[in-house]
Amino acid sequence: MSVAFDTVIHGGTLVTHYTTEKSDIGISEGKITAIGTVPKSTAKENIDARGLHVLPGVIDSQVHFREPGNEHKEDMESGSKAAILGGVTTVFEMPNTAPPTTTVASFNDKLSRARGRYLCDYGFFIGACEENIRDLSTLEKLPGCVGVKIFMGSSTGTLLIPDDHLLREVLASGTRRAAVHAEDEERLNARLPIRNSGGGPELHPQWRDVKTALLATERLIKLARICERPVHVLHITTRDEIAFLRNAGDIATAECTPQHLTLSAPECYEHLGTYAQMNPPIRDEEHRMGLWQGIADGTVNVIGSDHAPHTKAEKDLGYPDSPSGMPGVQTLLPIMLDHVNAGRLTLERLVELTSAGPSQLYGTTQKGIIKIGYDADLTLVDLNRKMTISKDWIASKCGWSPFLEKKVKGWPVATILRGNVVMRDDQIIGGPIGKAVAFGNP
Ligand code: DOR
């Protein structure tokens, strides 16, 4: 038989967001060109996936890679190495760099820095600020742009849309789904004395309390409905927001992080100190369980890592001088596979949350689904492999993870980007072939 495919992946169990079945996959010129039974003789290269699950490449739709401006924490190369080692084929990167990504020039600067440096595929968010409100509807259509990111409460960096007046203007300027960090700035400011009262990071969820998150999410949904602008609420942390967003599917989608689904207060602050400090904060068990309820009932649409590396020296400054954020792009999949093995969600639901979900929500045209004609982005996982998350494996420049020494069951064993094997058995293969993602009808 003549050679018809560049690569055939044989004998794996293919998992999509709606089905699990044994199937081969044929790949030609970086695209999926056959799904079903594909004879080995038809390929230039065969990959043996017997005993493995073949998932659509994982999309981490919330990462902070710190370039430009804070490359001592992370840069495009180190961040994207961490991504492919963790089975992630595409990242969407946030705009709170220095300078922030708020103009055509700063957006194009990111695109040109990325060329020849990224090991995975990528898209970049545009940050909303007071100065660019009128330009947002144009900026969100730039090739490679995921959409607009709005910070309603201050976090790392300078981006901020602090009140309803500005928020309404931002929501009225553009049509694509906007991603939102929902914490109420006025309440955060009013409660600063709590943060500054001399305690440690256990104060963080008291300062940035449940009401701070819920209030902002309620304000956002009200204005989104008035402006008829779809929004995506990032890193939900409260049971209360899940209950509220359950009835907001007409206008809003929702995201959780593996950290908020795995860690809880007070233990995380006792064990990890400021290394567990992030915005919005890790909360108690009641809220963690509320988030799992949102995973179970469909309220949550996406899991993103909010990969936000800071150096150990910065974290060791002590609360409240320590910056907020934890790395997560490399551990997203292992941590979530461990939850799958523990029976907390199915593998199909995980695929929905980490591939099909982010792809559909932000409107990629080629990613997140195992389908003929789509990019051959695939993550091969060994659901039975038991591993310990070790410092040696971590590629992020920050050199730590909140999950160090955690034992997990389930591990990514190969990452395939547009038909190229870029990671196999924890080793990076080849160079930086990452490309900007295409979005449809932006
Ligand atoms: O904890 C956080 N860190 N939350 C954010 O919203 C930003 C992030 C960062 O960039 O450090």
Side-chain angles (χ1 to χ4, degrees):
M1 190 176 286
S2 64
V3 170
F5 302 102
D6 295 329
T7 309
V8 172
I9 299 171
H10 276 282
T13 301
L14 196 152
V15 186
T16 71
H17 57 295
Y18 52 87
T19 180
T20 300
E21 58 190 329
K22 279 229 180 309
S23 179
D24 306 324
I25 297 179
I27 299 169
S28 312
E29 294 177 2
K31 301 283 182 190
I32 295 168
T33 48
I35 301 169
T37 303
V38 187
K40 283 189 179 166
S41 56
T42 58
K44 287 184 206 151
E45 187 194 353
N46 285 286
I47 294 175
D48 184 0
R50 283 173 300 171
L52 302 178
H53 286 81
V54 182
L55 320 185
V58 171
I59 300 172
D60 187 345
S61 55
Q62 193 187 171
V63 304
H64 304 264
F65 280 177
R66 308 299 190 202
E67 183 175 350
N70 279 294
E71 290 90 339
H72 66 286
K73 298 177 199 264
E74 197 76 286
D75 64 24
M76 293 180 175
E77 289 171 26
S78 59
S80 59
K81 272 184 187 165
I84 61 170
L85 284 167
V88 171
T89 51
T90 296
V91 295
F92 296 158
E93 209 260 348
M94 287 296 166
N96 57 334
T97 39
T101 320
T102 53
T103 60
V104 174
S106 54
F107 188 84
N108 285 342
D109 176 52
K110 267 198 180 168
L111 281 181
S112 55
R113 285 167 180 270
R115 243 166 263 130
R117 307 249 323 286
Y118 252 90
L119 284 86
C120 63
D121 284 356
Y122 49 87
F124 297 121
F125 281 93
I126 277 282
C129 61
E130 208 169 332
E131 295 74 30
N132 73 359
I133 293 181
R134 260 172 304 170
D135 305 326
L136 286 172
S137 55
T138 311
L139 291 168
E140 70 171 5
K141 295 193 190 82
L142 291 171
C145 183
V146 191
V148 171
K149 163 79 182 277
I150 302 167
F151 281 89
M152 290 175 70
S154 358
S155 192
T156 303
T158 54
L159 291 171
L160 187 62
I161 298 293
D163 59 46
D164 278 356
H165 171 70
L166 289 175
L167 182 59
R168 187 172 178 160
E169 286 191 3
V170 169
L171 293 172
S173 178
T175 54
R176 294 182 70 191
R177 187 173 296 273
V180 186
H181 179 128
E183 287 186 287
D184 187 84
E185 181 68 5
E186 199 180 321
R187 190 170 169 87
L188 282 178
N189 284 330
R191 295 171 67 80
L192 274 173
I194 297 174
R195 185 192 79 152
N196 299 332
S197 60
E202 70 284 353
L203 291 177
H204 207 57
Q206 292 176 39
W207 169 39
R208 306 179 86 108
D209 71 346
V210 171
K211 200 164 170 199
T212 300
L214 181 63
L215 205 61
T217 297
E218 287 173 348
R219 283 174 44 218
L220 172 69
I221 300 309
K222 188 172 172 200
L223 291 178
R225 283 192 176 125
I226 291 171
C227 299
E228 297 181 12
R229 177 77 183 266
V231 290
H232 180 60
V233 193
L234 299 163
H235 38 43
I236 307 284
T237 57
T238 65
R239 189 189 61 166
D240 310 53
E241 286 168 285
I242 293 290
F244 175 70
L245 289 169
R246 197 167 286 137
N247 299 313
D250 56 307
I251 202 78
T253 48
E255 181 164 327
C256 282
T257 76
Q259 298 90 296
H260 292 107
L261 289 165
T262 310
L263 305 172
S264 57
E267 292 79 9
C268 68
Y269 299 110
E270 286 160 13
H271 296 148
L272 296 167
T274 55
Y275 289 73
Q277 176 193 334
M278 70 176 292
N279 302 333
I282 307 289
R283 307 190 191 279
D284 63 21
E285 271 299 284
E286 182 187 328
H287 290 290
R288 191 173 78 89
M289 288 305 147
L291 303 184
W292 276 107
Q293 188 56 44
I295 298 278
D297 69 17
T299 305
V300 178
N301 308 84
V302 170
I303 289 175
S305 77
D306 194 10
H307 176 83
H310 298 285
T311 64
K312 289 185 203 167
E314 291 160 343
K315 280 293 197 183
D316 288 342
L317 287 172
Y319 194 79
D321 299 325
S322 42
S324 294
M326 309 178 204
V329 69
Q330 195 170 340
T331 48
L332 181 156
L333 187 58
I335 293 295
M336 293 312 301
L337 291 174
D338 192 57
H339 285 305
V340 167
N341 270 314
R344 298 190 185 100
L345 76 172
T346 65
L347 199 50
E348 290 178 8
R349 177 71 174 128
L350 180 62
V351 164
E352 185 171 37
L353 291 161
T354 53
S355 297
S359 165
Q360 285 165 358
L361 199 132
Y362 291 115
T364 74
T365 56
Q366 301 288 310
K367 304 278 187 201
I369 306 170
I370 299 180
K371 190 172 168 183
I372 305 274
Y374 269 58
D375 282 353
D377 293 349
L378 302 163
T379 305
L380 275 52
V381 306
D382 182 345
L383 260 193
N384 292 317
R385 186 174 297 187
K386 290 184 180 163
M387 294 286 283
T388 302
I389 293 176
S390 74
K391 193 173 173 305
D392 295 350
W393 175 70
I394 295 292
S396 172
K397 271 195 190 177
C398 72
W400 62 276
S401 157
F403 300 115
L404 280 188
E405 302 312 318
K406 185 174 169 64
K407 292 182 179 13
V408 293
K409 187 175 176 193
W411 197 255
V413 295
T415 308
I416 299 176
L417 178 62
R418 285 177 279 101
N420 303 282
V421 180
V422 292
M423 184 278 283
R424 182 91 219 210
D425 297 328
D426 301 329
Q427 300 302 314
I428 290 171
I429 299 171
I433 60 165
K435 283 187 185 170
V437 171
F439 296 90
N441 306 315

